[in-house]
Amino acid sequence: MDIKDLMQQSKDAPDHQIKTLVDATAKINQDFKEEALADQAKASGGKYGYIDIARTPINPDLYYLVESEIAQKALLIPFFRLGAKLRVAISDPNKAETLSLLKDLTDKGFELQLNLASSEGILKALELFHTAQNAFKSNLKTTINESELEAYQKEIENLAKLTEKIGLSSAKEGLNLLELGAIKTGASDIHFQPQEKSTLVRFRIDGILQNVSELSPEIYKQVAQQIKYEAGMKLNVINIPQDGRLSFMVNERKIDVRISTIPTEFGETIVMRILDSGKKFASFEELGFSERDLKKLKEISDLSQGMILVTGPTGSGKTTSLYSMLNLYNTPERKIITLEDPIEYHLMRIVQSQISEKSGYTFAKGLESVLRQDPDVVMIGEIRDIDTANTALQAALTGHVMLSTLHTNSAIESIPRLINMGLEAYMIAPALDTLMAQRLVRQFCPHCKKQEAISETEQKYFAEKLAEATLITKESYPTPTELPVAVGCEVCNHTGYLGRIVVAEVFRADDEFKDLIVQKKSLLELTKYAQSKGMTTMEQDGIVKASQGLTSLEEIKRVTS
Ligand SMILES: [Zn+2]
């Protein structure tokens, strides 16, 4: 049947057949074009191959190599790639937009092989991608099921293997591997740092950044586009910072990720913060608090009112401690409400509210509303301003247990910090119950640590410091003669450390201490008093722990100096 016959038929055809005929006509027209193109390709003497793009399977990752709008104008689509070799379908080799986009691809380092294809075919393929991507987007999260998880885990037994694997994967798989690697190693963040020739991928594990992989510029570009895509960020915007969120599933556990990008000299740098809300958080015992401090922390769980402040820099584990404390209060007869930014763990029976500074739901505003909800215990993610501090102190005096954090170096420094915010000493003193500061130190990797004799100088240092601690706690600590040293193995990514414990100072304010606050005694005097009542400093707590081989002196010095 040729077109003439079809035209004739269409004249007499009933309506429902017309559509079929029109489709058939279009098909024949299309086939004509494809044939003509094949001829044209032949006539080019092998300069261009011909490709029937509508019938060619295309790797979805290639979609990200060019902006879809630009690709539409240029009538161009990359369809196959092997390393730097890229096969590209074009419709018109003389079109200005096409030439300019081809030049861009060449400039990016691709060796191009061109194929002619019909403009209809190219537009259809681009359209197809667009639809598929939107369908994917409505799905919003990536799911890694049990069997895939096992397969992945086998492949990434350690970080070195992970790197190897990423280079061979599609962008989607590469991102999955990184996400999974982060979960497996307990990393809290994934950092992508573009440099001149490659992009450094680093995981923050146990609070320390560790190099995990280096991605070539092409692979990083694809992974970055994939992240931005999933996080609902603008793909074509690379010169201003963006924020977004994505989530993925591991074994039916939903893991939220916060994404932020900023432009740098060598491209966008991306940080993915992993909020593994289903992750089990440790008890105070597991966190490594000393017996002395554990006793004080257990006492706090009987409180019916008062302010508990946990201080320390970001990454010092304050949030985990606050959650552990909330867990102590978490009984059916108590109502607990939290104000958080972000919500890091989900807790049973606890009302957790997400602060949104952007839409005006601040800690100060949130706290006022929360107090109208008749809570027994309130946790405020952070006290940043005098309004929040004032409301919190009032609440702590009127039958509420208030928990919060401050950014100070030591526990006792909370007092001058609150005074500097503009609060009156006589307001702070009666509301206060517990002050605590903490840091996290790395523990030796149990798989590779080695016991070694320590030098005389070190023994002397320990003896002196342990004697100081004894004065405070009235406990005696033996001076060590040998201690573990960090070696490094595959399990610990050659760092010699695995897991962390806390070093802390915990002080419960008594009446005499409250008097000293009202009398506006100095930080030094307040600290001396707390020590006289048995509060070891973080450094002292740490040195005792190092003397017991739980961590190293270097770690204690790293976090306390
Ligand atoms: Zn090890």
Side-chain angles (χ1 to χ4, degrees):
M1 194 192 293
D2 67 9
I3 289 181
K4 248 191 241 160
D5 292 335
L6 275 170
M7 302 276 278
Q8 186 54 46
Q9 277 186 24
S10 70
K11 275 183 191 161
D12 321 307
D15 274 0
H16 71 272
Q17 276 181 14
I18 291 195
K19 191 180 174 305
T20 323
L21 286 169
V22 171
D23 287 351
T25 316
K27 174 84 181 66
I28 287 172
N29 279 337
Q30 183 62 27
D31 284 346
F32 263 137
K33 274 211 189 95
E34 298 294 349
E35 249 173 63
L37 270 166
D39 287 343
Q40 198 185 327
K42 252 183 239 157
S44 78
K47 190 176 173 199
Y48 305 117
Y50 160 72
I51 180 97
D52 187 352
I53 198 74
R55 293 186 176 85
T56 307
I58 303 176
N59 180 344
D61 288 349
L62 300 177
Y63 178 75
Y64 294 119
L65 289 178
V66 286
E67 281 298 325
S68 66
E69 260 175 56
I70 300 173
Q72 269 176 26
K73 279 189 195 129
L75 292 171
L76 175 156
I77 188 165
F79 63 92
F80 180 79
R81 178 180 162 192
L82 189 71
K85 290 196 172 77
L86 187 67
R87 290 182 66 183
V88 179
I90 52 171
S91 147
D92 181 356
N94 300 315
K95 198 173 158 71
E97 287 95 326
T98 312
L99 291 170
S100 134
L101 189 49
L102 287 173
K103 188 178 175 297
D104 279 353
L105 288 168
T106 315
D107 288 348
K108 279 174 190 159
F110 287 112
E111 285 170 44
L112 302 182
Q113 190 188 334
L114 302 180
N115 288 79
L116 289 177
S118 65
S119 52
E120 288 87 339
I122 291 173
L123 289 173
K124 209 169 165 189
L126 286 169
E127 170 73 13
L128 214 80
F129 268 125
H130 199 63
T131 320
Q133 291 300 322
N134 280 342
F136 169 69
K137 194 161 189 180
S138 67
N139 204 7
L140 253 179
K141 54 189 173 243
T142 312
T143 302
I144 301 167
N145 63 33
E146 192 104 33
S147 63
E148 282 170 317
L149 184 69
E150 246 170 56
Y152 276 131
Q153 285 196 333
K154 258 188 206 141
E155 280 160 8
I156 51 168
E157 269 163 44
N158 57 55
L159 291 175
K161 285 195 183 142
L162 173 66
T163 305
E164 199 179 296
K165 185 78 182 115
I166 295 167
L168 304 169
S169 311
S170 72
K172 182 81 201 106
E173 277 174 351
L175 180 59
N176 277 352
L177 282 169
L178 284 168
E179 288 168 340
L180 208 67
I183 295 300
K184 195 175 145 59
T185 53
S188 57
D189 307 79
I190 305 175
H191 294 235
F192 296 90
Q193 221 166 298
Q195 296 161 311
E196 202 173 351
K197 291 195 174 107
S198 65
T199 294
L200 197 59
V201 182
R202 308 201 288 174
F203 283 2
R204 188 176 290 281
I205 303 171
D206 293 340
I208 305 277
L209 276 175
Q210 295 184 17
N211 290 355
V212 167
S213 177
E214 265 182 56
L215 303 180
S216 68
E218 303 94 77
I219 290 180
Y220 175 56
K221 170 136 201 233
Q222 291 175 45
V223 172
Q225 293 284 53
Q226 183 73 30
I227 294 169
K228 288 168 73 181
Y229 192 86
E230 289 183 29
M233 298 155 97
K234 293 192 180 79
L235 292 185
N236 53 336
V237 173
I238 54 166
N239 53 357
I240 53 167
Q242 292 191 72
D243 293 317
R245 270 169 179 277
L246 62 85
S247 61
F248 63 95
M249 302 283 287
V250 174
N251 261 349
E252 303 192 352
R253 197 163 98 224
K254 182 173 170 246
I255 295 170
D256 292 315
V257 186
R258 275 195 172 185
I259 317 285
S260 70
T261 71
I262 56 168
T264 72
E265 193 181 357
F266 302 115
E268 270 179 306
T269 183
I270 298 180
V271 175
M272 301 175 70
R273 172 142 190 236
I274 295 169
L275 305 168
D276 187 356
S277 58
K279 190 166 76 180
K280 271 215 208 129
F281 60 91
S283 64
F284 284 127
E285 283 87 351
E286 288 164 324
L287 290 170
F289 280 93
S290 68
E291 286 296 327
R292 252 179 354 273
D293 289 340
L294 276 177
K295 201 169 147 270
K296 291 182 227 170
L297 291 169
K298 289 278 154 68
E299 283 164 15
I300 299 174
S301 62
D302 294 330
L303 276 186
S304 57
Q305 68 171 39
M307 176 75 124
I308 299 163
L309 287 171
V310 184
T311 76
T314 308
S316 61
K318 328 187 265 288
T319 315
T320 310
S321 285
L322 280 179
Y323 278 107
S324 300
M325 235 174 249
L326 284 180
N327 234 21
L328 293 180
Y329 289 109
N330 197 358
T331 54
E333 64 275 9
R334 284 195 182 102
K335 171 134 185 187
I336 306 179
I337 309 183
T338 71
L339 287 171
E340 302 175 63
D341 190 21
I343 294 174
E344 290 188 33
Y345 302 96
H346 294 292
L347 297 171
M348 288 277 285
R349 276 204 299 262
I350 290 184
V351 180
Q352 294 176 278
S353 183
Q354 168 75 53
I355 288 301
S356 169
E357 301 268 350
K358 262 187 210 160
S359 46
Y361 186 53
T362 59
F363 279 110
K365 284 224 174 95
L367 183 54
E368 280 173 25
S369 312
V370 159
L371 291 171
R372 287 196 283 270
Q373 300 250 319
D374 187 29
D376 298 291
V377 180
V378 179
M379 191 258 263
I380 313 154
E382 198 186 325
I383 293 180
R384 291 181 190 156
D385 57 277
I386 183 167
D387 288 342
T388 315
N390 250 326
T391 317
L393 287 173
Q394 287 286 1
L397 282 169
T398 53
H400 306 92
V401 175
M402 304 299 292
L403 299 124
S404 192
T405 68
L406 276 178
H407 277 278
T408 64
N409 284 321
S410 76
I412 309 300
E413 261 182 66
S414 305
I415 312 293
R417 171 58 52 87
L418 290 172
I419 290 173
N420 279 342
M421 270 186 188
L423 292 159
E424 297 293 344
Y426 64 83
M427 277 283 302
I428 302 167
L432 209 60
D433 185 90
T434 300
L435 297 173
M436 134 176 189
Q438 66 175 68
R439 302 286 187 274
L440 291 171
V441 289
R442 293 183 294 166
Q443 286 182 289
F444 292 111
C445 168
H447 304 281
C448 62
K449 70 174 175 188
K450 223 172 67 189
Q451 202 76 5
E452 270 182 15
I454 62 168
S455 70
E456 260 179 49
T457 331
E458 267 188 304
Q459 283 189 39
K460 222 178 124 202
Y461 177 82
F462 269 113
E464 263 171 42
K465 291 288 182 177
L466 291 170
E468 278 175 29
T470 298
L471 279 179
I472 291 171
T473 64
K474 317 284 185 251
E475 290 170 37
S476 66
Y477 308 102
T479 305
T481 52
E482 56 173 39
L483 283 174
V485 287
V487 179
C489 67
E490 275 204 347
V491 181
C492 59
N493 198 25
H494 305 284
T495 56
Y497 292 99
L498 202 64
R500 290 185 291 180
I501 53 166
V502 81
V503 295
E505 48 197 44
V506 183
F507 179 64
R508 295 200 65 198
D510 56 16
D511 289 343
E512 213 175 317
F513 185 77
K514 291 181 185 191
D515 280 344
L516 296 176
I517 297 176
V518 177
Q519 292 164 30
K520 301 197 174 150
K521 294 288 183 197
S522 70
L523 175 63
L524 189 69
E525 284 167 292
L526 291 173
T527 307
K528 265 191 190 153
Y529 177 81
Q531 288 191 295
S532 78
K533 292 289 166 182
M535 183 195 80
T536 45
T537 62
M538 281 182 285
E539 192 196 18
Q540 285 161 340
D541 185 38
I543 285 168
V544 170
K545 282 169 178 159
S547 79
Q548 295 164 344
L550 297 171
T551 183
S552 65
L553 263 189
E554 292 78 52
E555 278 294 288
I556 303 303
K557 284 180 182 157
R558 179 176 68 82
V559 300
T560 57
S561 62

